Amino acid sequence: MKEEVYMRRALELARRGMGRVNPNPMVGCVIVRDGRVIGEGWHEAYGSPHAERRALDDCTEDAAGATLYVTLEPCCHHGKQPPCTEAILAHKIARVVVGCLDPNPVVAGKGCARLREAGIPVETGLLEAECRALNKVFFHFITHRTPFVVMKYAMTLDGKIASSTGDSRWVTGEAARLHVHKTRSALSAVMVGVGTVLADDPLLTCRIDGGLNPLRIVCDSHLRTPPESQLMRTARDTPTLVAAVERNDRATALEQAGAEILLCAEKDGRVDLADLMQKLGERNIDSVLIEGGGALHFSALKAGIIHKVHAYIAPKLIGGGTAKTPIGGAGYRKMCDAIRLENLTVTPLGGDFLLEGDLPCLPD
């Protein structure tokens, strides 16, 4: 079907905005006239012109009478940019094909309604599943105003994230590690617990050409992060936030290093992760990649803040009764209480595998 070809091209264009438009959605647009593509565009960066306006500006000929294909419903309100619906009307587009509707309350069907009221036929739902999947982060954030959270870990086939001596470099190969860096670039923040900082001294930057560094968050209830750690030594160059439940005599040193301390509610003597997510949402942090150890991972699961799991699995066996596993804490007492992931996919990455799955809605 020719129309699907145009929408797939719009999806391809939209992905170019990954990591650069948060907390806005990724959007792509293709304009077609007489079976020829005459304009293309995508939302390139937060605050920049939207995909429809980019595509209209890109047109090689008059767009009057053309069909516009766009992955997400055109906006109809003034934000950082003027309404795309008005640009579509001004250029006398004859027909609009929309991948999926925008759940943003200020749009939510109003964009399509505005065009129809002006006499432009609007069709919705072309490749809707793909268009919705592209913006899973945005759809969650605009609905709940808290970050979409991905829990990531790398483990051996026998379920170890490090040897019994603590050695973890490297569980997986280069292809899997490259994928992690791409994920860091795509999401707004990366978070670890202070235990990971003390054990591994990570940098948590995105080390790929053209990649973007996420906000780095340390979940550190009582401010044990060493000022000489890699995170603190680079905090003036890469934004770094320390989530805590109290200030103490170590706070000043961390702030002088360039980190920000965010005080959160306390739960069971530690940072209340649900409260932390609320506070991050208020700062327009739409997504978080948790790369912690077993204690933080279980706390996050118990708090019900995890939405997706990225498990990188290496076909290695290392054993060790004291070797650490991806999920620690008290765990669940019975197998029937275990969390079963949904919508599983398995992707080969070099000699390793990435297993991705969604968490079901967890009880409060």
Side-chain angles (χ1 to χ4, degrees):
M1 180 179 174
K2 192 70 171 177
E3 293 206 308
E4 288 191 358
V5 172
Y6 299 138
M7 189 61 78
R8 290 194 188 283
R9 174 58 178 168
L11 282 164
E12 180 183 340
L13 293 168
R15 292 187 187 97
R16 296 182 182 181
M18 185 173 292
R20 302 180 184 278
V21 300
N22 310 57
N24 283 351
M26 292 176 280
V27 184
C29 180
V30 173
I31 299 173
V32 179
R33 183 174 182 180
D34 300 326
R36 294 173 291 108
V37 174
I38 63 170
E40 296 183 335
W42 66 96
H43 187 28
E44 298 178 12
Y46 178 69
S48 72
H50 292 176
E52 298 92 325
R53 290 182 177 270
R54 287 289 192 193
L56 289 165
D57 289 343
D58 182 64
C59 281
T60 55
E61 59 187 76
D62 190 355
T67 297
L68 182 146
Y69 296 83
V70 64
T71 55
L72 187 68
E73 178 182 9
C75 66
C76 54
H77 65 289
H78 283 272
K80 290 186 176 294
Q81 294 293 326
C84 290
T85 51
E86 302 313 303
I88 292 170
L89 295 174
H91 284 80
K92 296 182 171 56
I93 293 292
R95 176 172 167 259
V96 174
V97 180
V98 175
C100 62
L101 298 182
D102 188 340
N104 188 340
V106 299
V107 185
K110 300 182 184 72
C112 291
R114 170 74 180 101
L115 296 174
R116 289 177 178 132
E117 289 166 1
I120 297 180
V122 179
E123 299 174 22
T124 62
L126 181 62
L127 299 184
E128 181 175 6
E130 290 92 330
C131 290
R132 289 187 60 83
L134 175 71
N135 280 307
K136 181 178 287 190
V137 167
F138 169 73
F139 284 3
H140 170 84
F141 183 70
I142 203 67
T143 303
H144 300 283
R145 305 305 301 182
T146 56
F148 184 90
V149 181
V150 178
M151 181 173 71
K152 166 264 170 184
Y153 53 83
M155 70 178 189
T156 60
L157 196 58
D158 56 341
K160 309 297 185 180
I161 61 174
S163 71
S164 57
T165 66
D167 180 55
S168 61
R169 296 189 177 181
W170 296 102
V171 174
T172 53
E174 186 174 338
R177 299 199 300 274
L178 176 62
H179 190 276
V180 172
H181 285 286
K182 289 180 178 179
T183 304
R184 286 182 184 174
S185 182
L187 301 183
S188 295
V190 58
M191 184 168 82
V192 296
V194 67
T196 295
V197 176
L198 295 173
D200 299 336
D201 193 21
L203 191 57
L204 301 180
T205 53
C206 175
R207 296 185 286 279
I208 56 175
D209 290 341
L212 301 173
N213 285 332
L215 169 69
R216 303 178 302 184
I217 302 171
V218 182
C219 198
D220 182 5
S221 301
H222 304 291
L223 299 181
R224 294 189 294 142
T225 298
E228 65 274 13
S229 65
Q230 288 199 93
L231 290 175
M232 293 302 109
R233 286 191 283 110
T234 57
R236 295 197 181 280
D237 300 318
T238 304
T240 305
L241 185 150
V242 180
V245 300
E246 63 175 359
R247 289 184 64 89
N248 56 32
D249 55 5
R250 293 181 289 274
T252 300
L254 298 181
E255 290 173 330
Q256 288 178 341
E260 177 188 358
I261 295 175
L262 177 65
L263 294 181
C264 301
E266 181 177 336
K267 187 171 184 178
D268 299 327
R270 298 179 178 179
V271 167
D272 184 334
L273 294 177
D275 181 64
L276 173 57
M277 293 303 117
Q278 289 287 342
K279 286 180 166 58
L280 293 177
E282 292 168 2
R283 294 171 174 232
N284 273 344
I285 302 301
D286 68 346
S287 49
V288 176
L289 177 65
I290 296 184
E291 295 191 38
L296 180 60
H297 288 169
F298 182 70
S299 294
L301 285 172
K302 190 176 178 182
I305 66 168
I306 303 295
H307 303 100
K308 194 175 188 70
V309 172
H310 284 189
Y312 298 85
I313 303 172
K316 300 176 179 179
L317 304 172
I318 197 166
T322 60
K324 294 181 179 179
T325 60
I327 313 295
Y332 296 102
R333 295 177 62 85
K334 297 181 179 179
M335 194 58 67
C336 62
D337 295 329
I339 298 170
R340 179 177 290 275
L341 301 183
E342 302 174 345
N343 306 318
L344 295 180
T345 62
V346 179
T347 305
L349 293 171
D352 307 310
F353 297 89
L354 168 61
L355 188 150
E356 298 178 71
D358 299 327
L359 266 75
C361 293
L362 298 177
D364 294 333

